[in-house]
Amino acid sequence: MIERTLFSDEHRMFRDSVRRFMEHEVVPHHERWEDQGYVDREVWRKAGAQGLLCSSMPEEYGGAGADKLYSIVVMEEVARANATGLGFGLHSEIVAPYILHYGSEEQKRRYLPKMATGETIGAIAMSEPAAGSDLQGIRTTAIRKGDVYVLNGSKTFITNGWHTDLVIVVAKTRPDAGAKGTSLLLVEQGMKGFGKGKRLKKVGMKAQDTSELFFDDVEVPAANVLGAENQGFVYLMQELPWERLQIAIGAVENAQAAIDWTVAYVQERKVFGTTVASFQNTRFKLAELQTEVQIARVFVDRCIELHAEKRLDMRTAAMAKLWTTELQHRVLDDCLQFHGGYGYMWEFPIARAWADARVHRIYAGTHAIMREIIARGL
Ligand SMILES: Cc1cc2nc3c(=O)[nH]c(=O)nc-3n(C[C@H](O)[C@H](O)[C@H](O)COP(=O)(O)OP(=O)(O)OC[C@H]3O[C@@H](n4cnc5c(N)ncnc54)[C@H](O)[C@@H]3O)c2cc1C
């Protein structure tokens, strides 16, 4: 295998500690969390105490002040354990960076330290019942009245939505101006008129508290606008490549984990007096999948470098998400097949991973949208 050159010995030590955290604090509880439909809030605080949340956030805002690779280590270890109930990535590397990049000093000091400890759980609400891919079609409005914006509308499919204490809500502040009239608002749990709907029952990711959110005449202080009014769409476009790369990072790690589980399984499983691993079909297919995952790893590692150099463009990130999640799907499907009937049983990690991964080709922009972005530049 090609040696990964991104990580130092310090990163590797950190990886060991994250892996231990997953083994002790997450994996033994995940099935129970799947049954209840959400992770225990306690795991957020424990992760915060271990430096697993907002790792790359500057120390002055409560983070560890570490480089992005530490956050990537957390993402990879969560993906490796297939601990899909944990919305850490979205919290630490999507919601927190919006506040860091566009927030006022007051907003940063108010929200980020509590996000780093896990006291505050973050979410971002773009999608609505009638608008997902077509974000310009959102209907949620935030109309300025004196010192407040009056927020009305509803959002759906929101990751961390049920636990959340702080949501970045995408709303139209100038409903007649399309993308140019869109703003981001920081909405806090407890604001009058902000309600949470049911936790949504999903095909996979059953421990993830994905929810609906409702806003009924919520009076959001004008000071809670994130960045400049009506610039929301610009900010979304700036952050999306990193969001999509994160999905690619998780997809590659998860695919590698699936190959590792499967190699172990086929060496044990006996059929017709021999192991499943002894068949050429098994060995050749796994060899092909491993080859592709290795290629994906090199591409994604290069994208990580480009992101660090602030040169990761929209199209390259779309290619990374498109191709790695497609690959992840094929790897999981073939690996499930090698498990026979056990591959279809929820108690086997491969079954869960297969169901959980389906959404990767849907959220943060569907495959069609990724193709559209790539095609536009041809
Ligand atoms: C588990 C889960 C978690 C999520 N978490 C969040 C979250 O935290 N925050 C958030 O805001 N959203 C979240 N989402 C929403 C997600 O981003 C949207 O579901 C996604 O963007 C697709 O939007 P849609 O569901 O409205 O599908 P639609 O936009 O209705 O798409 C339907 C179909 O039409 C296709 N299509 C759409 N436009 C085009 C086009 N131009 N050309 C060709 N085909 C097209 C799509 O590819 C798709 O196949 C989550 C979704 C899920 C399932």
Side-chain angles (χ1 to χ4, degrees):
M1 300 287 263
I2 297 174
E3 189 194 347
R4 298 183 79 188
T5 50
L6 287 173
F7 299 102
S8 65
D9 285 345
E10 283 74 27
H11 294 122
R12 279 186 274 275
M13 276 161 58
F14 181 65
R15 187 183 291 279
D16 290 343
S17 74
V18 180
R19 197 166 287 187
R20 278 196 299 278
F21 181 87
M22 300 305 294
E23 282 165 5
H24 293 120
E25 304 293 349
V26 175
V27 173
H29 306 290
H30 209 270
E31 189 169 347
R32 179 173 57 79
W33 294 341
E34 286 165 7
D35 290 342
Q36 71 186 17
Y38 55 94
V39 304
D40 293 342
R41 230 187 135 99
E42 191 56 21
V43 74
W44 282 89
R45 297 214 179 85
K46 286 183 179 168
Q50 285 262 130
L52 270 55
L53 301 178
C54 303
S55 314
S56 66
M57 194 61 56
E59 283 174 278
E60 56 188 308
Y61 302 124
D67 62 53
K68 270 283 183 254
L69 293 170
Y70 284 85
S71 292
I72 290 170
V73 166
V74 177
M75 278 171 218
E76 290 185 342
E77 291 306 309
V78 169
R80 184 176 178 275
N82 200 53
T84 52
L86 301 175
F88 292 176
L90 180 121
H91 167 93
S92 303
E93 286 300 333
I94 296 175
V95 178
Y98 269 102
I99 299 172
L100 181 71
H101 296 158
Y102 310 111
S104 65
E105 194 56 31
E106 200 274 325
Q107 288 168 345
K108 290 181 204 176
R109 295 203 180 276
R110 182 158 171 204
Y111 299 118
L112 294 176
K114 286 187 179 170
M115 289 184 74
T117 58
E119 217 175 314
T120 292
I121 297 176
I124 181 160
M126 307 180 234
S127 306
E128 300 185 356
S133 305
D134 178 17
L135 270 186
Q136 298 194 28
I138 60 163
R139 293 182 191 158
T140 297
T141 54
I143 306 301
R144 178 98 189 223
K145 284 198 179 139
D147 290 343
V148 298
Y149 286 85
V150 180
L151 180 66
N152 278 293
S154 64
K155 299 286 180 180
T156 194
F157 307 144
I158 306 307
T159 301
N160 297 342
W162 186 74
H163 267 317
T164 192
D165 309 287
L166 176 68
V167 196
I168 299 176
V169 178
V170 182
K172 292 212 164 145
T173 31
R174 273 182 57 204
D176 54 344
K180 290 187 177 141
T182 304
S183 302
L184 309 183
L185 282 89
L186 292 159
V187 176
E188 296 172 28
Q189 166 75 2
M191 283 184 176
K192 195 160 166 276
F194 169 31
K196 295 175 180 176
K198 55 181 184 293
R199 286 190 307 276
L200 300 165
K201 287 199 171 175
K202 304 184 292 301
V203 168
M205 295 181 63
K206 292 180 186 294
Q208 167 47 232
D209 55 303
T210 317
S211 294
E212 300 169 312
L213 301 177
F214 302 105
F215 309 97
D216 184 12
D217 282 335
V218 184
E219 295 193 353
V220 184
N224 279 35
V225 168
L226 190 59
E229 193 191 46
N230 298 321
Q231 290 299 304
F233 227 83
V234 176
Y235 303 150
L236 291 173
M237 293 306 117
Q238 283 167 353
E239 296 298 313
L240 274 170
W242 170 227
E243 181 175 345
R244 290 176 178 149
L245 176 57
Q246 291 178 50
I247 293 174
I249 291 168
V252 173
E253 191 63 36
N254 189 247
Q256 183 61 60
I259 292 175
D260 296 345
W261 303 329
T262 307
V263 168
Y265 183 82
V266 296
Q267 286 174 334
E268 286 289 317
R269 179 69 176 170
K270 294 258 176 30
V271 283
F272 297 104
T274 183
T275 62
V276 175
S278 69
F279 301 123
Q280 192 181 59
N281 174 59
T282 311
R283 295 167 55 249
F284 278 19
K285 178 47 84 178
L286 286 170
E288 277 171 32
L289 296 176
Q290 183 60 79
T291 304
E292 286 189 86
V293 171
Q294 171 67 94
I295 292 166
R297 176 82 89 191
V298 173
F299 179 67
V300 168
D301 279 0
R302 178 68 189 129
C303 288
I304 292 172
E305 287 174 341
L306 287 172
H307 175 71
E309 297 160 11
K310 300 196 187 331
R311 292 199 296 131
L312 180 68
D313 63 89
M314 195 67 133
R315 272 200 298 152
T316 310
M319 288 173 186
K321 179 180 186 280
L322 174 70
W323 196 71
T324 58
T325 57
E326 188 70 48
L327 173 64
Q328 178 190 24
H329 169 71
R330 282 191 286 113
V331 169
L332 290 171
D333 200 62
D334 284 333
C335 287
L336 185 150
Q337 191 72 17
F338 285 127
H339 283 71
Y342 293 101
Y344 199 66
M345 296 298 122
W346 197 252
E347 71 205 70
F348 277 72
I350 192 69
R352 287 192 170 98
W354 181 80
D356 292 348
R358 185 62 184 83
V359 76
H360 287 173
R361 290 182 288 155
I362 298 170
Y363 64 15
T366 65
H367 262 28
I369 299 301
M370 295 307 100
R371 292 191 171 100
E372 187 58 40
I373 292 168
I374 298 161
R376 259 181 235 152
L378 298 180

